[in-house]
Amino acid sequence: MVDFALALFVAGLDLAAFWDNGDGGNADHADQMLLDTAAGYRMNPMHIGLGLLFTAANATMLPLQTSDPRLYGLAARADSGRLRVLLLNKRPALATLSLRLPASLAPLTRGTSMVDTSDHWGAAVHTPVQCEDGRCLASLPALSFTMLESESQEK
């Protein structure tokens, strides 16, 4: 679902609906829906990724290229100057990302990744990112959706 929503953002579409939110009380559909009624209406882990993606709404999209086609996503700059880079790692292993940023953009300072957990409810975890002289490095967890972001440049 997060991959689909990311594709909509990249394509420039600004409206979509995820109509079927509940499992209708069918336990065999619970892992496919946004809400699991048998688990106290617990939300599917996709809500973590959709929340990260939402941070790029109403921002200016910037070109983004990676050296690995299985690490893809988008870059967006908010009016505040905050840069956000959102990336899917479709590899079943940790992937090292190297990005070059123009000098006009603030360096990326923190990261958050949506990852799977042993109970498959997912979690948002801290992802370190280091930038020096316009080059940023981050290790993206296996099968994850990650947001790397800079500080706001508002004065």
Side-chain angles (χ1 to χ4, degrees), residues 2-57:
V2 175
D3 192 3
F4 173 68
L6 177 64
L8 293 176
F9 263 67
V10 170
L13 300 173
D14 58 4
L15 182 65
F18 183 56
W19 294 111
D20 201 359
N21 292 330
D23 62 18
N26 288 328
D28 61 332
H29 293 176
D31 64 342
Q32 302 167 18
M33 303 306 202
L34 185 58
L35 299 171
D36 181 355
T37 57
Y41 293 91
R42 190 170 184 179
M43 293 183 79
N44 185 299
M46 77 176 100
H47 84 278
I48 299 167
L50 294 175
L52 293 173
L53 187 57
F54 177 75
T55 65

Side-chain angles (χ1 to χ4, degrees), residues 61-130:
M61 301 302 229
L62 303 172
L64 174 69
Q65 287 186 334
T66 69
S67 58
D68 184 337
R70 289 180 287 178
L71 298 177
Y72 66 93
L74 62 90
R77 186 182 63 235
D79 289 342
S80 67
R82 178 170 287 167
L83 174 65
R84 290 186 173 97
V85 177
L86 296 124
L87 294 157
L88 272 171
N89 175 14
K90 288 193 163 187
R91 290 179 171 274
L94 188 75
T96 300
L97 172 74
S98 176
L99 286 176
R100 274 241 176 258
L101 297 179
S104 60
L105 296 175
L108 302 168
T109 58
R110 63 181 171 270
T112 304
S113 295
M114 174 185 74
V115 298
D116 195 10
T117 55
S118 60
D119 63 2
H120 301 298
W121 282 105
V125 299
H126 172 71
T127 300
V129 58
Q130 295 177 328

